[in-house]
């Protein structure tokens, strides 16, 4: 403990230094980086890397790697697309995919790419709109003003505008993106190679995954131009090199209050983990009984296992007494400083107490909220469709600002797209998951709960799930289309059992949602904002804001660490991958790799560990060198990085990337992906290094 | 929160009053009970109820209910016996069992009944033996002295002697039991009725389970005499009645230090819960695929679900900020008092710190310990047999005091019995569970861990499990017998793959066990004892000791409670059971009950809730009235009772029992169990109420 405590203590007691920090581009600590690494990024360098960075709207990062719209990201970021494009006859996820010509590039129905072109501070507008408000009124006013600002900004379908929350509401910025809605699949390796090592190696290092995919943005049926791209490095990254990661960390809670961290540790994480663990046990057993079940379950199982491991890592971080002890100290210090400043003190009065009270309310409400509204009781795709149709039919009649947030005008196109997806639904799995959810509903709220009685009557969870899934016609796209186009009248008239069921649970679901939003969410948000402002008032804006799936830049180094006294090297190699091959899943290299054995020198780097401060959402982020050239592709972090949700520990927190050399070598010698290789090399040759 | 906090605060800040308290019979608070309930149990009353109480060595409670050795307990306490007696052709668990004559009573191979006849304080002897010792030396000396005292006392096979730990080591008592090793099954209802409501209703109330079974102790091929028995009540218990529970609460941690509670909350409970949740998901899915799989999985699944719900209840209790806040206050107060007393202060120096340090060590070691030694990596019955054979062959050559504790002479008879059980092993399930365990081993310690590499090599968990389970001959009783009788030479010579595997993992397993015992267990025990003595020194022995599966008596009341503002009545009825019948498991009444509908008046009580302070281990405890007559049979507690592990909350903590009237009515009118009914009634008529 002492060592870890020391490490943590050292880190947190100093201002953020060296490699910690998910910095926004408009406040990158150039001087600190210069001091730590002897390198000064210029504004031109920053602009170039920012514009070369891409956000995938589903929750990943990516980058432009050629002027012809070629985009690099992780295989796991577009697994959904690959499955959408697959068919029972053609298992693209297992086989991989390669477009030999532009015409063979296949559109990913749900993928949208964004490029951040402009950032504007709109804090004053938001503050004015919410001045003096609290609870539900605060929440409503904030959402309304955000919508207004976003609508005014989004002048065409090529522009996406988001008001983003920074410093927990201490700042609000308007982010303007160039938007690409036609994104096509260019290259994907086999799932077994992208996820080589499977769940055992996930969040581990040494690692030998090739979690790589290439996409292309199109515009008007032509590859779109992307003049601001990141050229490939001429020389690969070596141990000790300075590298930058530019991407979209999804969320951190480094500034969270102690009460919020304790809530995570005691309530939210255990609840969610127990659900995931049980689903995992179920899905693994289910998948083991037939190849078809394996195929329909594979991706979902991988997602569940990933979530399980990630959240367990967070729980473990919070179970370390040293981490929370330090957080308590920091909070006590902040309170002392707030106390010493009459103006800040007045503005912060009651904020900690109200936060704790809202969390206590949430603790009591959580099972009910998660079951009735958040969907834990209905783990079925068909139910999801039914709910969307029911809610859409009701929400569409309301003014935009009064709708449930997922039914505002801005959301409708993607909602529509989702409802009309032609990808088949695995009915047997859907029924099984619905039965599971309904069973959990009964055991969580109890057989005597009025909602449970209303939902189940004398049916068993299995019986009800069977009746709903086998009775509904919503698996058919045409039926969905008719209901969608028929609007409220059509939905109201439908006797589809799943639709009727979705309507039956909707009243209680909306009721608990409103209660949650008014008494928990709004209170936490408003007081989070007050605490954030107190923090800014006493410490200033010298730190970086918690991650919110907005673009951040982070400096780091290619570097291993020490695990239980054993050194872990920063680079793995192709030779290592072949040595780890056991012939049994998940350590079975695909045929392409077995056939290519020897074609790539054993010493060629495959994956690497770096000190970059990243988190979920950074998947697919480019790793660039001081020339702004690509030397790697983030796809994971080590186990210690999971605690990065709450604190960055420089000794052990590592990002995990596919090495740039490995990406190219496999494209060329394993996959024979000549077209992509040519494009990457041409872009690398043409492009001069950006101005330093 | 305020209300709960208040309730808890009130309770814990007063000395234990009213219905809280798991009292040993030699320190029953007669005066307090008189004050609270207006009833004074005499010494004769106490002796009578004590001698009518029975302990089932496997972890349950029971009672003598006739002078002919008839014993009443819960169905779930002897589920293992029923399964042992069943065959693939005769599913006794599903069908139930009834012996119409003494000759039809069937012996439970593993059940042993104990009757507590004498208690002696041996604290001084233990203290003398461990004086000045710490760490491993303390542990060894304590175990050695316990063995010596027990051996001297156990003068025949009819006598069992245990040195029991009370007040966390503040006191040691020698408990002398009359021992019955021939225990036979007399009556058991259907599993579906014993566990009516299944997992959803488990730990819930209102409840409609008939979790009842009758056994008989035999001696020399005759029913044994049991002159000290508890006669059936002439009048059943009503709401508000004073009732006592006499039984064996398994374990509480009400005196645990805050560090220990935090360790449970942050480390041990989450680890165990996540494993159980995953096993549950797996087993439920597995059981759903065929009737045979359902049959072989049923009992194990029920155990897993029970554990999952029980531990989740504990975690929820610890997640309530009010509970730990109160514990912190109590501990601070104890520390102040210790600090103020120079002698106690000196004796307690460093005890809290050493406890915290040992727990931190444990936190780091827990996954390794649980995997390698505690068996989480090897969830296989066949592996268990192999390990027992390997360890037995090694341990038998050592002096008794130096052996692993489960291989001391006292343990050998039951170990032998277990190894030679003829009950068939479900091989497919065994293989599946072993694969599951090996998979968890790899993911928990990591694919690069040397032990994992040694165990798996290039095999997959599934492949290794298949090879071991399909290759071993240990499923055959004759093979086991030969190895057992052949001793070390035979075991050493065996090439059985499971045996070789058990030997392969044994070195690393013993290594981590020793490290755990020396640096965690011994330190916690020794310092737990020091803290307990400090507590006794400043507060005296007016309280009750934490539960340790020793006989306790507790007063309470038949009483409902308020759940989320809704009153929950104390009694349920036969009519309620029929109303809850949905025809679908687990709410499907068996045919016997459906046929008997109307024979028992609807208003007849079936189950009841009482304020008695009980916990796991109390299952099967008799509920008696002020005449010492049976009015019920404990089989569960409500959800709030799960937090009773750490604190008793009088407003909501309820024990759940089958009502005495319901037991008789169903025996007579549902099951036509005339022989048992006659015996109970005769015993009730003959017996005069004990002296008050």
């Amino acid at each position: 403990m002492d060592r870890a405590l020391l490490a943590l203590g050292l880190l947190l007691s100093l201002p953020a230094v060296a490699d910690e920090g998910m910095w926004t581009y408009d406040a990158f600590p150039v001087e600190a980086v210069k001091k730590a690494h002897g390198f000064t990024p210029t504004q031109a360098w920053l602009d170039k890397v920012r514009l070369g960075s891409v956000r995938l709207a589903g929750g990943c990062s990516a980058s432009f790697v050629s002027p012809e719209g070629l985009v690099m990201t992780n295989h796991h970021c577009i697994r959904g697309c690959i499955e959408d494009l697959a068919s029972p006859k053609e298992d693209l996820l297992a086989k991989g995919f390669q477009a030999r010509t532009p015409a063979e590039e296949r559109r990913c129905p749900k993928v949208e790419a964004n490029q951040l072109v402009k950032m504007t501070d709109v804090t004053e507008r938001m503050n004015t709109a919410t001045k003096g408000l609290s609870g539900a009124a605060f929440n409503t006013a904030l959402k309304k003003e955000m919508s207004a600002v976003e609508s005014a900004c989004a002048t065409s379908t090529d522009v996406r505008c988001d008001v983003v929350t920074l410093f927990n509401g201490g700042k609000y910025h308007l982010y303007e993106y160039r938007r690409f809605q036609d994104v096509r699949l260019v290259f994907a390796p086999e799932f077994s190679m992208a996820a080589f090592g499977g769940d055992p190696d996930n969040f581990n290092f040494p690692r030998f995954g090739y979690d790589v995919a290439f996409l292309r943005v199109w515009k008007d049926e032509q590859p779109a131009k992307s003049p601001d791209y990141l050229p490939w490095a001429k020389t690969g990254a070596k141990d000790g090199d300075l590298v930058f990661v530019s991407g979209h960390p999804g969320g951190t809670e480094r500034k969270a209050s102690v009460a919020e961290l304790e809530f995570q540790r005691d309530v939210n994480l255990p609840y969610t983990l127990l659900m995931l663990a049980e689903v995992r046990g179920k899905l693994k057993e289910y998948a083991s009984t037939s190849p078809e079940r394996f195929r329909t379950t594979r991706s979902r199982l991988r997602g569940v296992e990933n979530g399980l491991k990630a959240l367990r890592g967070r729980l473990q971080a919070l179970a370390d007494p040293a981490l929370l002890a330090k957080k308590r100290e920091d909070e006590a210090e902040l309170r002392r400083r707030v106390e010493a400043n009459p103006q800040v003190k007045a503005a912060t009065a009651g904020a900690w107490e109200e936060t704790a009270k809202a969390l206590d309310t949430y603790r009591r409400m959580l099972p009910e909220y998660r079951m009735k509204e958040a969907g834990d009781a209905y783990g079925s795709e068909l139910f999801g469709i039914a709910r969307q149709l029911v809610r859409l039919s009701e929400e569409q009649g309301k003014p935009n600002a009064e709708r449930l947030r997922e039914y505002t005008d801005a959301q409708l196109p993607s909602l529509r797209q989702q409802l009309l997806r032609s990808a088949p639904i695995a009915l047997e799995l859907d029924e099984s998951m619905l039965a599971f959810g309904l069973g959990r509903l009964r055991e969580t709220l109890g057989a005597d709960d009025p909602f449970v009685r209303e939902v189940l009557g004398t049916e068993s969870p299995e019986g009800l799930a069977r009746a709903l899934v086998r009775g509904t016609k919503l698996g058919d796209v045409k039926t969905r289309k008719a209901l969608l186009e028929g609007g409220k009248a059509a939905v109201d008239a439908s006797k589809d059992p799943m639709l009727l069921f979705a309507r039956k649970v909707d009243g209680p679901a909306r009721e608990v949602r409103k209660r949650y939003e008014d008494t928990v969410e709004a209170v936490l948000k408003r007081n989070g904002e007050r605490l954030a402002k107190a923090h800014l008032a006493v410490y200033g804006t010298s730190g970086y804001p918690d991650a919110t799936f907005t673009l951040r830049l982070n400096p780091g180094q290619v570097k291993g660490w020490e695990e239980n006294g054993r050194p872990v090297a920063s680079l793995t190699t192709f030779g290592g991958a072949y040595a780890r091959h056991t012939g049994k899943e998940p350590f079975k290299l695909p045929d392409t790799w077995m056939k290519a054995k020897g074609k790539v020198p054993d010493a060629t780097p495959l994956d690497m560990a770096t000190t970059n401060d990243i988190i979920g959402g950074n998947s697919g982020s480019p790793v660039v060198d001081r020339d702004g050239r690509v030397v790697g592709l983030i796809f994971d972090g080590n186990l210690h990085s999971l605690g990065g949700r709450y604190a960055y520990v420089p000794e052990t927190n590592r990002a995990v990337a596919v090495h740039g050399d490995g990406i190219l070598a496999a494209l060329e010698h394993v996959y024979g992906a000549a077209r992509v290789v040519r494009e990457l090399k041409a872009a690398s040759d043409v492009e001069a290094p950006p101005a330093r």
Side-chain angles (χ1 to χ4, degrees), chain A:
Chain A
M1 185 172 98
D2 303 333
R3 234 184 126 255
L5 184 61
L6 191 71
L8 204 60
L10 268 177
L11 170 76
L12 298 178
S13 59
L14 294 173
V17 290
D19 302 345
E20 176 181 353
M22 299 168 172
W23 304 95
T24 52
Y25 269 82
D26 53 3
F28 192 74
V30 174
E31 281 310 310
V33 170
K34 182 183 174 186
K35 207 183 261 176
H37 296 287
F39 168 74
T40 313
T42 61
Q43 189 57 45
W45 189 99
L46 291 169
D47 291 345
K48 186 81 183 164
V49 176
R50 168 171 58 83
L51 290 167
S53 304
V54 171
R55 186 175 82 152
L56 297 181
C60 271
S61 301
S63 57
F64 288 118
V65 286
S66 91
E68 304 298 324
L70 191 65
V71 168
M72 177 171 73
T73 188
N74 292 145
H75 180 278
H76 79 259
C77 290
I78 51 142
R79 208 161 57 210
C81 162
I82 299 173
E83 291 192 301
D84 283 349
L85 297 177
S87 69
K89 272 179 223 133
E90 193 189 22
D91 189 351
L92 285 187
L93 198 62
K95 281 175 40 188
F97 174 82
Q98 205 180 135
R100 303 273 172 195
T101 64
E104 283 179 24
E105 296 180 6
R106 293 171 68 179
R107 182 163 181 186
C108 289
K110 286 181 301 185
V111 177
E112 172 181 322
N114 304 139
Q115 178 189 34
L116 179 61
V117 293
K118 197 175 166 192
M119 295 164 276
T120 318
D121 191 330
V122 293
T123 312
E124 274 310 302
R125 265 195 81 165
M126 296 298 134
N127 287 352
T128 306
T130 60
K131 199 175 171 103
L133 301 177
S134 67
F138 170 85
N139 220 359
T140 309
L142 185 66
K143 279 193 266 187
K144 203 171 160 186
E145 189 68 2
M146 280 184 168
S147 291
V149 171
E150 288 169 358
S151 298
C153 161
T155 48
S156 91
T157 55
D158 289 344
V159 179
R160 177 187 175 123
C161 296
D162 292 345
V163 173
V164 306
T165 304
L166 299 173
F167 295 103
N168 224 357
K171 300 269 172 199
Y172 294 94
H173 282 195
L174 174 64
Y175 274 36
E176 196 176 326
Y177 299 95
R178 188 174 164 208
R179 176 184 216 170
F180 300 91
Q181 291 182 279
D182 183 351
V183 181
R184 303 193 185 182
L185 183 61
V186 175
F187 168 86
E190 306 87 346
F191 176 63
S192 63
M193 193 59 219
F196 184 74
D199 183 64
D201 271 7
N202 194 19
F203 295 116
N204 275 14
F205 195 87
R207 190 70 165 279
F208 304 88
Y210 190 74
D211 195 351
V212 177
F214 287 92
L215 306 167
R216 191 184 307 281
V217 293
W218 285 59
K219 176 78 186 163
D220 303 329
E221 296 303 320
Q222 293 287 334
K225 296 292 169 196
S226 52
D228 296 301
Y229 70 92
L230 305 174
W232 214 264
K234 295 292 184 182
T235 315
K238 296 179 311 295
D239 189 72
D241 278 5
L242 169 65
V243 290
F244 296 83
V245 169
S246 176
H248 301 79
T252 54
E253 297 171 74
R254 294 185 186 169
K255 296 264 172 39
S257 63
V258 169
E260 286 168 299
L261 297 179
E262 289 177 339
F263 178 80
Q264 288 300 324
R265 182 194 63 193
D266 299 343
V267 183
N268 192 45
L269 288 172
Y271 175 94
T272 310
L273 278 165
L274 285 175
M275 183 181 68
L276 289 174
E278 196 169 328
V279 172
R280 184 198 189 199
K282 175 190 173 64
L283 287 182
K284 276 189 86 168
E285 185 62 38
Y286 179 90
S288 74
T289 45
S290 83
E292 172 63 9
R293 282 181 162 193
F294 173 78
R295 194 184 65 78
T296 56
T297 311
R298 185 174 46 188
S299 183
R300 187 167 194 155
L301 178 57
R302 176 80 185 170
V304 166
E305 290 187 327
N306 186 63
L308 188 60
K309 213 161 177 178
L311 298 193
R312 200 163 48 201
R314 286 191 205 169
L315 187 63
Q316 268 162 11
L318 292 176
D320 184 340
L323 189 144
L324 264 165
K326 186 70 190 81
K327 293 284 187 185
R328 275 195 200 96
E329 246 174 63
D330 289 350
E331 188 164 299
E333 176 61 26
L334 175 61
R335 290 182 89 140
R336 270 192 296 274
R337 292 189 187 211
V338 166
E339 205 63 27
N341 181 328
Q343 206 182 334
V344 180
K345 184 183 169 186
T348 312
W352 277 288
E353 294 72 16
E354 286 176 34
T355 298
K357 195 160 162 274
L359 290 168
D360 196 59
T361 304
Y362 192 18
R363 182 168 64 83
R364 291 154 199 280
M365 193 194 292
L366 185 128
E368 192 191 351
Y369 174 72
R370 294 283 283 266
M371 282 294 153
K372 294 183 185 174
E373 168 62 18
D376 290 2
Y378 337 103
S380 147
E381 223 176 308
L382 289 166
F383 174 85
I385 290 169
R387 168 175 272 189
Q388 284 174 334
L389 287 168
V390 167
R391 290 195 162 174
L392 185 59
S393 73
E394 291 184 19
E395 297 298 304
Q396 269 186 311
K398 299 179 186 170
N400 197 37
E402 289 171 24
R403 294 185 201 159
L404 296 175
R405 70 189 71 158
E406 62 274 29
Y407 296 91
T408 54
D409 287 336
Q411 305 298 328
L412 295 187
S414 69
L415 190 62
R416 200 183 143 80
Q417 198 175 50
Q418 211 177 315
L419 281 169
L420 299 182
R421 276 178 68 199
S422 59
I425 293 167
L427 294 181
E428 194 195 11
L429 177 62
D430 210 56
E431 182 183 319
S432 179
M433 289 306 298
L434 183 56
F436 177 82
L438 293 170
R440 283 196 87 242
L441 168 70
R442 182 171 67 186
E443 74 192 38
T444 303
L445 302 187
D448 294 301
D449 177 84
F451 179 74
V452 173
R453 285 174 173 258
E454 174 70 15
V455 165
L456 283 179
T458 62
E459 251 315 348
S460 66
E462 294 75 21
L464 180 56
R466 190 181 310 120
L468 293 175
V469 171
R470 298 188 188 180
T472 184
K473 297 280 181 292
L474 295 179
D476 175 36
V477 183
K478 274 183 293 205
T479 306
R480 301 203 290 266
K481 194 156 189 241
L483 286 164
L484 195 58
E485 287 170 0
K488 188 160 171 24
V491 172
D492 284 355
S494 169
K495 295 278 175 283
D496 189 279
M498 191 66 90
L499 216 55
L500 294 178
F501 179 73
R503 177 170 295 122
K504 183 188 205 170
V505 301
D506 210 42
R510 282 173 180 263
E511 185 279 320
V512 70
R513 174 168 173 162
K514 179 153 174 41
R515 199 150 32 92
Y516 164 76
E517 286 180 352
D518 292 353
T519 65
V520 178
E521 191 189 59
V523 182
L524 291 180
K525 200 187 276 182
R526 154 127 168 88
N527 287 290
E529 191 176 307
R530 294 169 73 206
L531 290 175
K533 282 177 179 158
H535 199 280
L536 290 173
V538 301
Y539 289 113
T541 50
S542 63
Y544 57 95
D546 260 322
T548 50
F549 197 45
T550 45
L551 188 61
R552 307 296 175 91
L553 182 65
N554 165 268
Q557 265 187 295
V558 179
K559 197 174 172 183
W561 77 99
E562 205 171 87
E563 186 74 44
N564 289 331
R566 288 197 298 263
V568 180
S570 62
L571 298 179
T572 67
T573 65
F574 276 62
Y578 286 107
R580 204 176 189 79
H581 168 77
T582 65
K584 277 115 192 163
E585 292 290 358
F587 296 100
K588 185 178 189 305
L589 290 171
D591 290 347
T592 49
W593 282 68
M594 292 313 289
K595 280 183 198 147
K597 197 171 175 179
K599 287 194 193 161
V600 177
D602 272 358
T604 310
L606 178 51
D607 289 349
M608 66 178 170
T610 76
T611 63
N612 292 285
D613 185 7
I614 62 152
I615 205 136
N618 265 306
S619 281
S621 298
V623 185
V624 300
D625 62 13
R626 47 180 84 202
D627 292 332
R629 284 173 173 266
V630 175
V631 293
L633 168 64
I634 293 293
F635 73 104
D636 206 359
N638 67 356
L639 282 171
H640 304 287
S641 77
L642 295 167
R645 178 94 186 174
Y646 311 112
Y648 176 86
V649 180
E651 281 73 5
T652 53
N653 187 326
R654 292 295 176 270
V656 172
V658 191
H659 192 281
D661 291 357
I663 295 174
L664 267 194
L667 280 175
E668 190 160 1
H669 301 292
V670 177
Y671 295 105
R675 193 168 73 100
V676 175
V677 171
R678 261 199 313 276
E679 187 170 347
L680 290 175
K681 287 192 172 169
S684 169
D685 288 341
V686 168
E687 178 74 13
R692 290 234 197 140

